[in-house]
mmCIF file of all heavy atoms in Angstrom:
data_model
loop_
_atom_site.group_PDB
_atom_site.id
_atom_site.type_symbol
_atom_site.label_atom_id
_atom_site.label_comp_id
_atom_site.label_asym_id
_atom_site.label_seq_id
_atom_site.Cartn_x
_atom_site.Cartn_y
_atom_site.Cartn_z
ATOM 1 N N ARG A 157 9.289 6.796 13.084
ATOM 2 C CA ARG A 157 10.382 6.303 12.243
ATOM 3 C C ARG A 157 10.565 4.788 12.416
ATOM 4 O O ARG A 157 10.843 4.086 11.424
ATOM 5 C CB ARG A 157 11.675 7.042 12.591
ATOM 6 C CG ARG A 157 12.919 6.577 11.833
ATOM 7 C CD ARG A 157 14.111 7.473 12.126
ATOM 8 N NE ARG A 157 15.296 7.052 11.384
ATOM 9 C CZ ARG A 157 16.185 6.200 11.866
ATOM 10 N NH1 ARG A 157 16.063 5.708 13.115
ATOM 11 N NH2 ARG A 157 17.218 5.857 11.145
ATOM 12 N N GLU A 158 10.434 4.290 13.632
ATOM 13 C CA GLU A 158 10.674 2.867 13.875
ATOM 14 C C GLU A 158 9.668 2.016 13.111
ATOM 15 O O GLU A 158 10.042 0.947 12.602
ATOM 16 C CB GLU A 158 10.612 2.558 15.359
ATOM 17 C CG GLU A 158 11.186 1.203 15.762
ATOM 18 C CD GLU A 158 12.660 1.032 15.367
ATOM 19 O OE1 GLU A 158 13.404 2.022 15.478
ATOM 20 O OE2 GLU A 158 13.026 -0.084 14.960
ATOM 21 N N GLU A 159 8.446 2.465 13.001
ATOM 22 C CA GLU A 159 7.422 1.728 12.210
ATOM 23 C C GLU A 159 7.836 1.697 10.740
ATOM 24 O O GLU A 159 7.663 0.646 10.086
ATOM 25 C CB GLU A 159 6.077 2.424 12.378
ATOM 26 C CG GLU A 159 5.513 2.407 13.766
ATOM 27 C CD GLU A 159 4.303 3.286 13.921
ATOM 28 O OE1 GLU A 159 4.314 4.412 13.379
ATOM 29 O OE2 GLU A 159 3.325 2.856 14.554
ATOM 30 N N TYR A 160 8.351 2.796 10.250
ATOM 31 C CA TYR A 160 8.824 2.855 8.857
ATOM 32 C C TYR A 160 10.012 1.911 8.650
ATOM 33 O O TYR A 160 10.036 1.165 7.654
ATOM 34 C CB TYR A 160 9.230 4.296 8.548
ATOM 35 C CG TYR A 160 10.043 4.521 7.294
ATOM 36 C CD1 TYR A 160 9.482 4.584 6.052
ATOM 37 C CD2 TYR A 160 11.434 4.697 7.378
ATOM 38 C CE1 TYR A 160 10.207 4.802 4.896
ATOM 39 C CE2 TYR A 160 12.197 4.910 6.245
ATOM 40 C CZ TYR A 160 11.567 4.963 5.003
ATOM 41 O OH TYR A 160 12.329 5.185 3.873
ATOM 42 N N LEU A 161 10.929 1.907 9.591
ATOM 43 C CA LEU A 161 12.075 1.017 9.451
ATOM 44 C C LEU A 161 11.684 -0.452 9.497
ATOM 45 O O LEU A 161 12.222 -1.288 8.759
ATOM 46 C CB LEU A 161 13.098 1.312 10.583
ATOM 47 C CG LEU A 161 13.811 2.670 10.487
ATOM 48 C CD1 LEU A 161 14.695 2.868 11.702
ATOM 49 C CD2 LEU A 161 14.632 2.801 9.204
ATOM 50 N N ASP A 162 10.707 -0.775 10.350
ATOM 51 C CA ASP A 162 10.232 -2.168 10.396
ATOM 52 C C ASP A 162 9.581 -2.535 9.087
ATOM 53 O O ASP A 162 9.830 -3.668 8.566
ATOM 54 C CB ASP A 162 9.198 -2.304 11.547
ATOM 55 C CG ASP A 162 9.847 -2.287 12.935
ATOM 56 O OD1 ASP A 162 11.078 -2.455 12.989
ATOM 57 O OD2 ASP A 162 9.103 -2.096 13.920
ATOM 58 N N TYR A 163 8.782 -1.631 8.513
ATOM 59 C CA TYR A 163 8.116 -1.950 7.258
ATOM 60 C C TYR A 163 9.119 -2.150 6.121
ATOM 61 O O TYR A 163 8.934 -3.049 5.274
ATOM 62 C CB TYR A 163 7.144 -0.828 6.879
ATOM 63 C CG TYR A 163 6.505 -1.032 5.527
ATOM 64 C CD1 TYR A 163 5.515 -1.975 5.325
ATOM 65 C CD2 TYR A 163 6.952 -0.308 4.436
ATOM 66 C CE1 TYR A 163 4.972 -2.186 4.078
ATOM 67 C CE2 TYR A 163 6.409 -0.509 3.166
ATOM 68 C CZ TYR A 163 5.414 -1.459 2.995
ATOM 69 O OH TYR A 163 4.870 -1.676 1.762
ATOM 70 N N THR A 164 10.187 -1.370 6.121
ATOM 71 C CA THR A 164 11.198 -1.453 5.060
ATOM 72 C C THR A 164 12.346 -2.404 5.418
ATOM 73 O O THR A 164 13.361 -2.427 4.760
ATOM 74 C CB THR A 164 11.752 -0.063 4.721
ATOM 75 O OG1 THR A 164 12.331 0.518 5.918
ATOM 76 C CG2 THR A 164 10.673 0.855 4.193
ATOM 77 N N HIS A 165 12.164 -3.178 6.523
ATOM 78 C CA HIS A 165 13.149 -4.167 6.958
ATOM 79 C C HIS A 165 14.523 -3.536 7.203
ATOM 80 O O HIS A 165 15.564 -4.178 6.951
ATOM 81 C CB HIS A 165 13.255 -5.312 5.942
ATOM 82 C CG HIS A 165 11.961 -5.963 5.656
ATOM 83 N ND1 HIS A 165 11.256 -6.697 6.558
ATOM 84 C CD2 HIS A 165 11.205 -5.987 4.489
ATOM 85 C CE1 HIS A 165 10.127 -7.141 6.006
ATOM 86 N NE2 HIS A 165 10.056 -6.728 4.774
ATOM 87 N N HIS A 166 14.530 -2.257 7.621
ATOM 88 C CA HIS A 166 15.754 -1.540 7.969
ATOM 89 C C HIS A 166 16.747 -1.452 6.805
ATOM 90 O O HIS A 166 17.946 -1.306 7.020
ATOM 91 C CB HIS A 166 16.435 -2.193 9.191
ATOM 92 C CG HIS A 166 15.640 -1.997 10.477
ATOM 93 N ND1 HIS A 166 16.021 -1.113 11.439
ATOM 94 C CD2 HIS A 166 14.490 -2.603 10.902
ATOM 95 C CE1 HIS A 166 15.143 -1.171 12.454
ATOM 96 N NE2 HIS A 166 14.201 -2.064 12.119
ATOM 97 N N LEU A 167 16.221 -1.515 5.591
ATOM 98 C CA LEU A 167 17.100 -1.449 4.424
ATOM 99 C C LEU A 167 17.469 -0.013 4.032
ATOM 100 O O LEU A 167 18.419 0.191 3.278
ATOM 101 C CB LEU A 167 16.430 -2.147 3.211
ATOM 102 C CG LEU A 167 16.233 -3.647 3.372
ATOM 103 C CD1 LEU A 167 15.421 -4.194 2.190
ATOM 104 C CD2 LEU A 167 17.581 -4.361 3.423
ATOM 105 N N PHE A 168 16.708 0.959 4.524
ATOM 106 C CA PHE A 168 16.906 2.361 4.110
ATOM 107 C C PHE A 168 16.970 3.248 5.362
ATOM 108 O O PHE A 168 16.124 4.131 5.544
ATOM 109 C CB PHE A 168 15.797 2.834 3.177
ATOM 110 C CG PHE A 168 15.493 1.843 2.069
ATOM 111 C CD1 PHE A 168 14.419 0.982 2.171
ATOM 112 C CD2 PHE A 168 16.309 1.792 0.947
ATOM 113 C CE1 PHE A 168 14.137 0.086 1.129
ATOM 114 C CE2 PHE A 168 16.051 0.879 -0.082
ATOM 115 C CZ PHE A 168 14.947 0.046 0.012
ATOM 116 N N PRO A 169 17.978 3.046 6.239
ATOM 117 C CA PRO A 169 17.983 3.709 7.555
ATOM 118 C C PRO A 169 18.184 5.227 7.468
ATOM 119 O O PRO A 169 17.815 5.935 8.411
ATOM 120 C CB PRO A 169 19.121 3.041 8.299
ATOM 121 C CG PRO A 169 20.048 2.557 7.195
ATOM 122 C CD PRO A 169 19.118 2.133 6.077
ATOM 123 N N ASN A 170 18.811 5.731 6.432
ATOM 124 C CA ASN A 170 19.111 7.170 6.356
ATOM 125 C C ASN A 170 18.142 7.928 5.441
ATOM 126 O O ASN A 170 18.484 8.960 4.887
ATOM 127 C CB ASN A 170 20.551 7.372 5.878
ATOM 128 C CG ASN A 170 21.557 6.788 6.835
ATOM 129 O OD1 ASN A 170 21.412 6.882 8.029
ATOM 130 N ND2 ASN A 170 22.583 6.149 6.284
ATOM 131 N N THR A 171 16.956 7.417 5.302
ATOM 132 C CA THR A 171 15.943 8.041 4.410
ATOM 133 C C THR A 171 14.736 8.479 5.198
ATOM 134 O O THR A 171 14.433 7.936 6.286
ATOM 135 C CB THR A 171 15.499 7.053 3.324
ATOM 136 O OG1 THR A 171 14.865 5.910 3.942
ATOM 137 C CG2 THR A 171 16.684 6.568 2.479
ATOM 138 N N GLY A 172 14.024 9.459 4.656
ATOM 139 C CA GLY A 172 12.749 9.898 5.233
ATOM 140 C C GLY A 172 11.578 9.286 4.509
ATOM 141 O O GLY A 172 10.432 9.415 4.964
ATOM 142 N N GLY A 173 11.850 8.659 3.408
ATOM 143 C CA GLY A 173 10.798 7.993 2.607
ATOM 144 C C GLY A 173 11.469 7.197 1.504
ATOM 145 O O GLY A 173 12.627 7.388 1.201
ATOM 146 N N VAL A 174 10.680 6.303 0.892
ATOM 147 C CA VAL A 174 11.251 5.475 -0.153
ATOM 148 C C VAL A 174 10.159 4.953 -1.075
ATOM 149 O O VAL A 174 9.017 4.748 -0.626
ATOM 150 C CB VAL A 174 12.043 4.292 0.462
ATOM 151 C CG1 VAL A 174 11.100 3.320 1.221
ATOM 152 C CG2 VAL A 174 12.862 3.526 -0.569
ATOM 153 N N PHE A 175 10.493 4.792 -2.348
ATOM 154 C CA PHE A 175 9.634 4.074 -3.282
ATOM 155 C C PHE A 175 10.275 2.715 -3.514
ATOM 156 O O PHE A 175 11.415 2.627 -3.937
ATOM 157 C CB PHE A 175 9.466 4.808 -4.607
ATOM 158 C CG PHE A 175 8.805 3.970 -5.667
ATOM 159 C CD1 PHE A 175 7.484 3.524 -5.475
ATOM 160 C CD2 PHE A 175 9.486 3.580 -6.807
ATOM 161 C CE1 PHE A 175 6.891 2.726 -6.431
ATOM 162 C CE2 PHE A 175 8.871 2.786 -7.761
ATOM 163 C CZ PHE A 175 7.570 2.364 -7.574
ATOM 164 N N ILE A 176 9.559 1.666 -3.177
ATOM 165 C CA ILE A 176 10.042 0.303 -3.329
ATOM 166 C C ILE A 176 9.469 -0.222 -4.658
ATOM 167 O O ILE A 176 8.246 -0.417 -4.762
ATOM 168 C CB ILE A 176 9.633 -0.581 -2.146
ATOM 169 C CG1 ILE A 176 10.122 0.045 -0.846
ATOM 170 C CG2 ILE A 176 10.175 -1.991 -2.317
ATOM 171 C CD1 ILE A 176 9.565 -0.633 0.404
ATOM 172 N N SER A 177 10.363 -0.446 -5.614
ATOM 173 C CA SER A 177 9.919 -0.762 -6.977
ATOM 174 C C SER A 177 8.879 -1.859 -6.993
ATOM 175 O O SER A 177 9.076 -2.956 -6.468
ATOM 176 C CB SER A 177 11.139 -1.189 -7.807
ATOM 177 O OG SER A 177 12.088 -0.159 -7.822
ATOM 178 N N GLY A 178 7.759 -1.573 -7.653
ATOM 179 C CA GLY A 178 6.715 -2.554 -7.832
ATOM 180 C C GLY A 178 5.923 -2.895 -6.619
ATOM 181 O O GLY A 178 5.056 -3.787 -6.632
ATOM 182 N N ARG A 179 6.194 -2.190 -5.483
ATOM 183 C CA ARG A 179 5.538 -2.595 -4.239
ATOM 184 C C ARG A 179 4.745 -1.449 -3.605
ATOM 185 O O ARG A 179 3.540 -1.511 -3.519
ATOM 186 C CB ARG A 179 6.591 -3.099 -3.238
ATOM 187 C CG ARG A 179 6.027 -3.552 -1.881
ATOM 188 C CD ARG A 179 7.153 -4.075 -1.018
ATOM 189 N NE ARG A 179 6.717 -4.241 0.379
ATOM 190 C CZ ARG A 179 7.558 -4.422 1.387
ATOM 191 N NH1 ARG A 179 8.857 -4.482 1.149
ATOM 192 N NH2 ARG A 179 7.119 -4.543 2.608
ATOM 193 N N ALA A 180 5.423 -0.402 -3.166
ATOM 194 C CA ALA A 180 4.718 0.666 -2.443
ATOM 195 C C ALA A 180 5.621 1.881 -2.272
ATOM 196 O O ALA A 180 6.808 1.843 -2.568
ATOM 197 C CB ALA A 180 4.268 0.134 -1.074
ATOM 198 N N LEU A 181 5.001 2.934 -1.781
ATOM 199 C CA LEU A 181 5.706 4.153 -1.365
ATOM 200 C C LEU A 181 5.476 4.291 0.123
ATOM 201 O O LEU A 181 4.373 4.095 0.618
ATOM 202 C CB LEU A 181 5.107 5.336 -2.134
ATOM 203 C CG LEU A 181 5.714 6.733 -2.037
ATOM 204 C CD1 LEU A 181 5.256 7.518 -3.247
ATOM 205 C CD2 LEU A 181 5.318 7.463 -0.766
ATOM 206 N N ALA A 182 6.558 4.629 0.872
ATOM 207 C CA ALA A 182 6.410 4.737 2.335
ATOM 208 C C ALA A 182 7.212 5.948 2.827
ATOM 209 O O ALA A 182 8.216 6.312 2.276
ATOM 210 C CB ALA A 182 6.916 3.469 3.005
ATOM 211 N N ALA A 183 6.690 6.549 3.921
ATOM 212 C CA ALA A 183 7.371 7.687 4.539
ATOM 213 C C ALA A 183 6.860 7.759 5.978
ATOM 214 O O ALA A 183 5.936 7.084 6.387
ATOM 215 C CB ALA A 183 7.082 8.986 3.787
ATOM 216 N N PHE A 184 7.526 8.607 6.762
ATOM 217 C CA PHE A 184 7.113 8.775 8.185
ATOM 218 C C PHE A 184 7.198 10.232 8.590
ATOM 219 O O PHE A 184 7.915 11.041 7.979
ATOM 220 C CB PHE A 184 8.010 7.910 9.114
ATOM 221 C CG PHE A 184 9.461 8.305 9.113
ATOM 222 C CD1 PHE A 184 9.950 9.208 10.045
ATOM 223 C CD2 PHE A 184 10.338 7.779 8.194
ATOM 224 C CE1 PHE A 184 11.289 9.590 10.052
ATOM 225 C CE2 PHE A 184 11.690 8.142 8.196
ATOM 226 C CZ PHE A 184 12.156 9.040 9.146
ATOM 227 N N LEU A 185 6.461 10.579 9.664
ATOM 228 C CA LEU A 185 6.377 11.985 10.095
ATOM 229 C C LEU A 185 7.411 12.346 11.159
ATOM 230 O O LEU A 185 7.975 13.415 11.110
ATOM 231 C CB LEU A 185 4.979 12.207 10.651
ATOM 232 C CG LEU A 185 4.719 13.598 11.255
ATOM 233 C CD1 LEU A 185 4.874 14.714 10.217
ATOM 234 C CD2 LEU A 185 3.321 13.663 11.875
ATOM 235 N N GLU A 186 7.658 11.454 12.083
ATOM 236 C CA GLU A 186 8.479 11.763 13.264
ATOM 237 C C GLU A 186 9.821 12.367 12.888
ATOM 238 O O GLU A 186 10.599 11.809 12.116
ATOM 239 C CB GLU A 186 8.720 10.464 14.077
ATOM 240 C CG GLU A 186 9.531 10.672 15.336
ATOM 241 C CD GLU A 186 9.775 9.357 16.056
ATOM 242 O OE1 GLU A 186 9.850 8.307 15.400
ATOM 243 O OE2 GLU A 186 9.898 9.366 17.291
ATOM 244 N N GLY A 187 10.126 13.541 13.434
ATOM 245 C CA GLY A 187 11.436 14.192 13.233
ATOM 246 C C GLY A 187 11.539 14.967 11.947
ATOM 247 O O GLY A 187 12.400 15.848 11.845
ATOM 248 N N GLN A 188 10.672 14.676 10.974
ATOM 249 C CA GLN A 188 10.739 15.442 9.719
ATOM 250 C C GLN A 188 9.875 16.696 9.750
ATOM 251 O O GLN A 188 10.228 17.723 9.175
ATOM 252 C CB GLN A 188 10.253 14.578 8.535
ATOM 253 C CG GLN A 188 11.116 13.374 8.260
ATOM 254 C CD GLN A 188 10.826 12.826 6.867
ATOM 255 O OE1 GLN A 188 11.427 13.276 5.889
ATOM 256 N NE2 GLN A 188 9.944 11.859 6.749
ATOM 257 N N GLY A 189 8.712 16.568 10.399
ATOM 258 C CA GLY A 189 7.761 17.656 10.357
ATOM 259 C C GLY A 189 6.922 17.576 9.116
ATOM 260 O O GLY A 189 7.322 16.939 8.108
ATOM 261 N N PRO A 190 5.740 18.185 9.136
ATOM 262 C CA PRO A 190 4.796 18.015 8.013
ATOM 263 C C PRO A 190 5.284 18.598 6.688
ATOM 264 O O PRO A 190 4.995 18.061 5.615
ATOM 265 C CB PRO A 190 3.547 18.687 8.487
ATOM 266 C CG PRO A 190 3.914 19.469 9.710
ATOM 267 C CD PRO A 190 5.142 18.868 10.249
ATOM 268 N N ASP A 191 6.055 19.730 6.729
ATOM 269 C CA ASP A 191 6.549 20.306 5.471
ATOM 270 C C ASP A 191 7.494 19.338 4.759
ATOM 271 O O ASP A 191 7.416 19.129 3.556
ATOM 272 C CB ASP A 191 7.246 21.645 5.721
ATOM 273 C CG ASP A 191 6.269 22.794 5.787
ATOM 274 O OD1 ASP A 191 5.143 22.646 5.253
ATOM 275 O OD2 ASP A 191 6.597 23.831 6.389
ATOM 276 N N GLN A 192 8.466 18.792 5.500
ATOM 277 C CA GLN A 192 9.433 17.871 4.901
ATOM 278 C C GLN A 192 8.743 16.603 4.495
ATOM 279 O O GLN A 192 9.092 16.006 3.457
ATOM 280 C CB GLN A 192 10.568 17.572 5.881
ATOM 281 C CG GLN A 192 11.646 16.667 5.329
ATOM 282 C CD GLN A 192 12.268 17.206 4.037
ATOM 283 O OE1 GLN A 192 12.639 18.387 3.969
ATOM 284 N NE2 GLN A 192 12.336 16.374 3.017
ATOM 285 N N LEU A 193 7.753 16.143 5.258
ATOM 286 C CA LEU A 193 7.001 14.927 4.854
ATOM 287 C C LEU A 193 6.342 15.149 3.522
ATOM 288 O O LEU A 193 6.367 14.268 2.646
ATOM 289 C CB LEU A 193 5.992 14.564 5.933
ATOM 290 C CG LEU A 193 5.058 13.383 5.596
ATOM 291 C CD1 LEU A 193 5.832 12.122 5.298
ATOM 292 C CD2 LEU A 193 4.020 13.183 6.704
ATOM 293 N N ARG A 194 5.713 16.306 3.332
ATOM 294 C CA ARG A 194 5.049 16.588 2.039
ATOM 295 C C ARG A 194 6.073 16.561 0.908
ATOM 296 O O ARG A 194 5.831 15.971 -0.152
ATOM 297 C CB ARG A 194 4.357 17.935 2.093
ATOM 298 C CG ARG A 194 3.794 18.391 0.749
ATOM 299 C CD ARG A 194 3.242 19.804 0.806
ATOM 300 N NE ARG A 194 4.190 20.747 1.396
ATOM 301 C CZ ARG A 194 5.239 21.232 0.738
ATOM 302 N NH1 ARG A 194 5.510 20.849 -0.500
ATOM 303 N NH2 ARG A 194 6.040 22.091 1.337
ATOM 304 N N ARG A 195 7.240 17.185 1.099
ATOM 305 C CA ARG A 195 8.244 17.192 0.069
ATOM 306 C C ARG A 195 8.750 15.750 -0.213
ATOM 307 O O ARG A 195 8.982 15.381 -1.352
ATOM 308 C CB ARG A 195 9.442 18.087 0.471
ATOM 309 C CG ARG A 195 9.103 19.560 0.419
ATOM 310 C CD ARG A 195 10.360 20.427 0.487
ATOM 311 N NE ARG A 195 11.045 20.306 1.743
ATOM 312 C CZ ARG A 195 10.846 21.101 2.773
ATOM 313 N NH1 ARG A 195 9.942 22.069 2.705
ATOM 314 N NH2 ARG A 195 11.507 20.963 3.889
ATOM 315 N N THR A 196 8.906 14.971 0.865
ATOM 316 C CA THR A 196 9.335 13.595 0.696
ATOM 317 C C THR A 196 8.332 12.802 -0.127
ATOM 318 O O THR A 196 8.698 12.037 -1.052
ATOM 319 C CB THR A 196 9.507 12.931 2.097
ATOM 320 O OG1 THR A 196 10.566 13.599 2.803
ATOM 321 C CG2 THR A 196 9.855 11.456 1.948
ATOM 322 N N LEU A 197 7.049 12.979 0.137
ATOM 323 C CA LEU A 197 6.004 12.250 -0.621
ATOM 324 C C LEU A 197 6.015 12.671 -2.087
ATOM 325 O O LEU A 197 5.862 11.830 -2.970
ATOM 326 C CB LEU A 197 4.642 12.469 0.027
ATOM 327 C CG LEU A 197 4.421 11.826 1.397
ATOM 328 C CD1 LEU A 197 3.162 12.323 2.036
ATOM 329 C CD2 LEU A 197 4.381 10.307 1.225
ATOM 330 N N GLN A 198 6.177 13.964 -2.360
ATOM 331 C CA GLN A 198 6.216 14.438 -3.741
ATOM 332 C C GLN A 198 7.450 13.848 -4.447
ATOM 333 O O GLN A 198 7.391 13.470 -5.621
ATOM 334 C CB GLN A 198 6.251 15.948 -3.791
ATOM 335 C CG GLN A 198 4.918 16.572 -3.385
ATOM 336 C CD GLN A 198 4.894 18.108 -3.362
ATOM 337 O OE1 GLN A 198 3.956 18.702 -2.872
ATOM 338 N NE2 GLN A 198 5.914 18.732 -3.934
ATOM 339 N N HIS A 199 8.554 13.775 -3.726
ATOM 340 C CA HIS A 199 9.803 13.191 -4.299
ATOM 341 C C HIS A 199 9.607 11.701 -4.638
ATOM 342 O O HIS A 199 9.905 11.275 -5.746
ATOM 343 C CB HIS A 199 10.916 13.375 -3.260
ATOM 344 C CG HIS A 199 12.242 12.849 -3.650
ATOM 345 N ND1 HIS A 199 13.360 13.642 -3.894
ATOM 346 C CD2 HIS A 199 12.694 11.579 -3.848
ATOM 347 C CE1 HIS A 199 14.383 12.901 -4.216
ATOM 348 N NE2 HIS A 199 13.999 11.632 -4.205
ATOM 349 N N GLU A 200 9.165 10.964 -3.629
ATOM 350 C CA GLU A 200 9.067 9.526 -3.838
ATOM 351 C C GLU A 200 7.968 9.178 -4.856
ATOM 352 O O GLU A 200 8.074 8.204 -5.598
ATOM 353 C CB GLU A 200 8.804 8.803 -2.507
ATOM 354 C CG GLU A 200 9.893 9.015 -1.458
ATOM 355 C CD GLU A 200 11.250 8.538 -1.957
ATOM 356 O OE1 GLU A 200 11.346 7.649 -2.815
ATOM 357 O OE2 GLU A 200 12.284 9.096 -1.469
#
């Protein structure tokens, strides 16, 4: 999660993943588990 927060400059602390308009899609595994990570990726 900390790597994700560093990449997103701590702008989205309560998220498991994010789509940053015009830039990229990011998510992390720690604490979510693989099932939730997959759902997060499909969402974003």
Side-chain angles (χ1 to χ4, degrees):
R157 178 173 180 268
E158 195 59 37
E159 296 170 316
Y160 166 81
L161 292 176
D162 286 345
Y163 175 75
T164 58
H165 305 294
H166 291 255
L167 294 174
F168 312 100
N170 297 320
T171 62
V174 65
F175 170 63
I176 304 171
S177 301
R179 180 178 167 194
L181 187 160
F184 63 92
L185 176 62
E186 182 182 29
Q188 296 198 86
D191 276 338
Q192 182 56 49
L193 174 59
R194 173 187 50 77
R195 288 194 294 268
T196 297
L197 290 169
Q198 290 178 191
H199 179 113
E200 299 303 333

